[in-house]
Amino acid sequence: MRTPEERERHLILTALHQDGVEEIFLPAPKRSQKPRTSKPLEPPPQTQGASRPVAKGNAVSTPADLAGVKNLEALQALASQCLLCGELAAQRRSVVFGSGSPSAKLMFVGEAPGHEEDLQGMPFVGEAGGLLTKIISAIGLTREQVFIANTLKCRPPMNRQPRPEEIANCSPYLMKQIEIIRPRIICALGAFASQTLLQTTEPISKLRGRWMDFRDGIKVMCTFHPAYLLRNPSEKRKVWEDMQRIQKELEGLA
């Protein structure tokens, strides 16, 4: 015997068949589902080359007071916490302060750190740095006997040119380095270093090859940047002439 539900279904199907409906599909019965439990999102894995977090704590987001700084160690500690250039600070891996003798008679100043310098935290360690090492060796010195620094202490993204506000923010650190080291000669490598030190807009082609007065009896010799020489090997002779002028001046100081 059919149950009331079966009899009702039979009547409905018979009526539908009489109306010309051949097939009918009934929805499958719903299955009970267990409530889903949500898992906390995990942070994405750190990829190689990703930016390091910006230093916190004593981070310097306003111009630091460098008047009382008396040595390179204290100056480097301040520079390593600098956040004045937000874009550079957010993307840097290192603050490339400089390296060499704190009592050097000869100081080299370049433009800004590149990729390799940012990774290693040392100035001029890439291909251009290798050429600079050879240039220094050619005048009878080593990197440990000179001091090497850059106008900017942080790498600009994609090695773009330094912006005026970045140079203005970082220049006090460079000037303090010079004040502490008190070199007798500064070799400015490339246009940005030369123009920053001498406060001029003259192109490097006009600045190089002649002595300039900086301050406190310090002389400046401007020359082409080693990276420029890698692209223009024919200009190496001019740089060698500039280095010979520096070598002769150093011999006179001995």
Side-chain angles (χ1 to χ4, degrees):
M1 180 178 291
R2 295 176 180 174
T3 64
E5 291 82 4
E6 290 176 336
R7 287 198 299 270
E8 183 179 1
R9 180 181 297 180
H10 176 72
L11 292 173
I12 293 173
L13 292 175
T14 301
L16 290 172
H17 182 70
Q18 291 175 351
D19 289 338
V21 177
E22 298 293 337
E23 294 181 302
I24 181 170
F25 296 94
L26 297 176
K30 293 183 179 180
R31 297 179 181 178
S32 59
Q33 295 182 350
K34 296 181 180 180
R36 294 182 180 180
T37 58
S38 59
K39 295 182 179 179
L41 294 176
E42 297 181 358
Q46 188 77 8
T47 57
Q48 185 175 5
S51 301
R52 291 183 177 178
V54 176
K56 296 181 180 179
N58 297 323
V60 179
S61 57
T62 57
D65 183 7
L66 306 180
V69 178
K70 302 299 182 183
N71 57 66
L72 293 178
E73 291 77 11
L75 182 63
Q76 184 172 6
L78 283 175
S80 67
Q81 298 292 319
C82 182
L83 303 179
L84 287 177
C85 302
E87 182 184 16
L88 305 192
Q91 300 188 41
R92 74 189 179 208
R93 294 186 66 86
S94 303
V95 173
V96 185
F97 180 74
S99 66
S101 171
S103 58
K105 292 183 179 179
L106 174 59
M107 182 174 179
F108 289 88
V109 177
E111 178 180 315
H115 176 69
E116 289 299 322
E117 288 80 7
D118 185 44
L119 290 178
Q120 299 186 38
M122 297 288 289
F124 284 91
V125 293
E127 190 176 3
L131 179 55
L132 178 60
T133 301
K134 292 179 180 178
I135 292 172
I136 294 171
S137 177
I139 59 173
L141 297 172
T142 65
R143 289 177 65 115
E144 292 72 27
Q145 292 175 296
V146 303
F147 196 90
I148 305 172
N150 278 307
T151 304
L152 294 191
K153 308 306 181 191
C154 300
R155 179 196 178 198
M158 304 302 292
N159 292 343
R160 62 162 171 75
Q161 293 182 345
R163 293 170 178 164
E165 64 272 19
E166 294 166 348
I167 294 175
N169 287 338
C170 215
S171 288
Y173 292 105
L174 174 62
M175 298 306 166
K176 194 66 179 182
Q177 283 178 310
I178 296 171
E179 178 185 324
I180 294 172
I181 297 169
R182 296 189 63 82
R184 303 296 296 276
I185 298 171
I186 297 175
C187 180
L189 301 169
F192 281 95
S194 301
Q195 292 170 351
T196 299
L197 288 169
L198 300 174
Q199 293 295 288
T200 181
T201 57
E202 281 195 75
I204 184 63
S205 58
K206 292 185 178 181
L207 292 173
R208 63 149 297 272
R210 53 197 176 102
W211 288 109
M212 305 282 192
D213 292 325
F214 180 62
R215 64 177 67 161
D216 300 326
I218 300 174
K219 293 185 176 181
V220 174
M221 175 63 66
C222 304
T223 194
F224 294 125
H225 195 284
Y228 173 80
L229 297 181
L230 293 175
R231 301 189 300 269
N232 302 273
S234 61
E235 300 283 49
K236 288 183 179 180
R237 177 177 293 276
K238 294 178 181 178
V239 173
W240 174 236
E241 292 172 354
D242 297 337
M243 297 309 299
Q244 285 180 310
R245 294 183 179 98
I246 290 175
Q247 185 179 29
K248 184 178 180 179
E249 189 71 19
L250 286 173
E251 291 172 353
L253 297 174

